[in-house]
Amino acid sequence: MSKKILLGVTGGIACYKSVHLCRLMVKAGYEVKVIMTPAACSFVTPLTFQAITGNRIYINEFDAGVEPDIIEHVWLAGWADEFIIAPATANIIAKIAHGIADDLLTSTVLPYKKPIFIAPSMNVDMYANPVTQKNLALLSSFGHDLIDPNTGEMACRTEGKGRMAEPEEIFDYVFCKEKPLSGLKVLVTAGATAEAIDPVRFITNRSSGKMGLAVVRQAKALGAEVRLVAGLTSVGTEGFDTVKVQSALEMLDAVQKEIAQTDILVMAAAVADFRVAEYSETKIKKTDEAEITIRLVKNPDILKELAPLKKNGQVFAGFAAESDNLEVNARKKLAEKGLDMIAANDISRKDIGFETDDNEIMIFSSDREPFSTGKVSKDTAAEKLLLFARELYGKKNGSV
Ligand SMILES: Cc1cc2nc3c(=O)[nH]c(=O)nc-3n(C[C@H](O)[C@H](O)[C@H](O)COP(=O)(O)O)c2cc1C
């Protein structure tokens, strides 16, 4: 019996690409039923999808009498083997994130029991808006499978991230994608630690947390069970299984508690090397003195502290943010910290690294020539890093 696919189409420009996606699925022998939102019908006609699928198109939740023996939203949710929403507007993403069920598509989402493949598609600013990012993080935390939009020229004549993945990419993602990390537990640290000076001041490192969060998203997409230990981040961590920490000592404590249940550890956090020796319980007052001295003491190196707890089968991956001598410094850290692999990036470059959406990392390990991810999105860099970690895990545990 052929696989049954439910395709949700919402009101974005990329509806025309969805027609091609639908055709690819029909050609592959799948049975496809389409739910369109009323807004989607302004972009392409239901007749187009009807002609391609040979099935009636579902639009109105209250089409009483068309199929009187079924309650459509519940029946469709039970019928589908896979549920794809492409394009997914900012609106539908927000509605699903908050459990709204005010049309046939959203009413079908709630009773559907498996993860839904969601392909966001929108203008670059709509996509970058923190509320959209928060909603996407929520969808991801509910287990839905987000198909990352592409970066490039948009129909609205802007350029950036938000263009729906190409139909072929969506098809491959849904039907050809393996879940190589399924059954594995991945622990990720992200963001910067903050070392308090007094109740209002602290010393920290520059780190947006974007790279660590990309690792979290990708590890989930690759099927892992993921836990995040997060310091200060400028990107939302809502919706992920997160332990929030402030200082390096708190981060060490949180990671030590989790490490026994971890298969792959990815330390992407920027941990402060030093903390303030004498914390002031009260706010340090402004005085007439031209200078003050704050004494710093060394923080423990989290990876070195973890080394004695490391089990044979575990894979530890670290990051090295370097401004010079990338290879020498990365190799030194790899050896000194008992790491299996290290991802080094050149922070002197303005186009990658801090606060940017892109990165170019060079991955070093003891048993393979280093390789570069090339300049790619942080999500793609994270995926490559995780796939390499999975390869090392396979070698250690005899399951390549
Ligand atoms: C010409 C045009 C193009 C649009 N393109 C998009 C888009 O690509 N992504 C998006 O999120 N919203 C887009 N919108 C806005 C949505 O159509 C609007 O938010 C609508 O309420 C979405 O409804 P739905 O999510 O129920 O389909 C567009 C609107 C117009 C008029």
Side-chain angles (χ1 to χ4, degrees):
M1 213 168 49
S2 67
K3 211 168 188 182
K4 302 188 205 85
I5 313 299
L6 188 57
L7 175 64
V9 182
T10 66
I13 290 283
C15 278
Y16 75 94
K17 291 190 189 174
S18 197
V19 173
H20 183 44
L21 171 64
C22 187
R23 175 93 182 108
L24 289 174
M25 294 192 292
V26 171
K27 270 177 78 176
Y30 302 136
E31 182 172 0
V32 184
K33 289 187 190 285
V34 178
I35 303 179
M36 296 178 77
T37 61
C41 300
S42 298
F43 291 84
V44 288
T45 66
L47 188 61
T48 309
F49 285 108
Q50 183 178 299
I52 291 173
T53 61
N55 284 319
R56 165 190 166 214
I57 305 306
Y58 297 82
I59 302 163
N60 185 353
E61 201 172 6
F62 305 104
D63 262 344
V66 182
E67 291 179 67
D69 50 335
I70 62 168
I71 296 172
E72 285 171 356
H73 63 285
V74 180
W75 185 85
L76 285 166
W79 172 85
D81 296 318
E82 303 291 355
F83 192 172
I84 305 168
I85 301 182
T89 55
N91 180 54
I92 191 97
I93 287 165
K95 289 204 280 187
I96 299 174
H98 297 280
I100 292 170
D102 66 351
D103 59 18
L104 183 59
L105 181 56
T106 45
S107 297
T108 309
V109 164
L110 285 179
Y112 185 72
K113 292 203 181 78
K114 286 172 44 184
I116 301 172
F117 293 97
I118 297 174
S121 169
M122 67 202 72
N123 155 275
V124 58
D125 296 320
M126 289 174 92
Y127 184 74
N129 192 306
V131 76
T132 304
Q133 289 302 313
K134 223 171 192 177
N135 289 334
L136 287 167
L138 275 173
L139 295 190
S140 187
S141 73
F142 297 144
H144 295 308
D145 212 334
L146 301 178
I147 305 176
D148 214 27
N150 290 333
T151 300
E153 199 188 330
M154 320 264 284
C156 56
R157 292 169 202 86
T158 55
E159 190 125 2
K161 190 165 182 174
R163 204 177 69 181
M164 190 176 87
E166 294 306 315
E168 288 80 3
E169 289 173 324
I170 298 176
F171 185 90
D172 287 351
Y173 188 93
V174 175
F175 301 106
C176 311
K177 192 175 179 193
E178 292 170 34
K179 299 277 184 191
L181 296 187
S182 98
L184 296 187
K185 294 197 168 99
V186 174
L187 179 65
V188 182
T189 67
T193 63
E195 309 299 329
I197 300 170
D198 68 15
V200 292
R201 304 176 179 101
F202 57 80
I203 300 170
T204 190
N205 280 331
R206 269 188 84 184
S207 171
S208 62
K210 281 186 178 179
M211 190 64 226
L213 265 294
V215 174
V216 171
R217 274 193 302 277
Q218 289 305 313
K220 283 195 78 160
L222 293 168
E225 196 181 307
V226 188
R227 179 154 260 212
L228 168 66
V229 176
L232 300 180
T233 60
S234 63
V235 286
T237 58
E238 295 80 8
F240 296 114
D241 182 6
T242 307
V243 183
K244 276 276 190 191
V245 296
Q246 288 268 329
S247 65
L249 289 178
E250 284 176 21
M251 185 168 276
L252 171 63
D253 184 52
V255 174
Q256 276 174 331
K257 283 192 179 124
E258 295 296 326
I259 201 66
Q261 305 86 260
T262 297
D263 297 305
I264 296 173
L265 167 70
V266 182
M267 285 283 297
V271 182
D273 292 330
F274 293 92
R275 67 180 181 278
V276 175
E278 289 96 23
Y279 171 76
S280 169
E281 297 288 345
T282 53
K283 185 179 168 191
I284 299 170
K285 298 278 178 299
K286 195 169 168 181
T287 66
D288 291 335
E289 289 171 51
E291 59 182 56
I292 62 162
T293 302
I294 295 172
R295 200 165 64 85
L296 301 178
V297 291
K298 208 162 175 36
N299 267 329
D301 183 313
I302 296 183
L303 281 165
K304 283 188 185 163
E305 296 289 319
L306 290 177
L309 305 177
K310 189 174 179 187
K311 291 187 272 184
N312 282 342
Q314 288 177 318
V315 170
F316 285 6
F319 272 81
E322 302 295 342
S323 53
D324 57 300
N325 284 333
L326 192 94
E327 173 151 9
V328 175
N329 290 329
R331 285 200 185 282
K332 191 162 172 264
K333 283 186 184 159
L334 183 71
E336 282 178 0
K337 293 177 185 248
L339 288 166
D340 299 285
M341 56 186 280
I342 191 158
N345 64 324
D346 180 352
I347 53 167
S348 66
R349 278 176 57 180
K350 292 274 175 293
D351 56 332
I352 53 170
F354 296 133
E355 295 289 345
T356 63
D357 290 325
D358 292 332
N359 207 350
E360 179 171 343
I361 53 180
M362 187 75 136
I363 298 179
F364 297 88
S365 65
S366 52
D367 68 341
R368 186 169 151 178
E369 281 299 299
F371 67 95
S372 167
T373 58
K375 188 182 162 193
V376 288
S377 71
K378 284 187 170 167
D379 277 276
T380 303
E383 186 184 22
K384 291 182 187 223
L385 176 145
L386 286 163
L387 290 176
F388 184 56
R390 175 65 184 88
E391 198 181 309
L392 294 182
Y393 182 86
K395 279 188 190 157
K396 284 186 170 211
N397 294 276
S399 61
V400 187

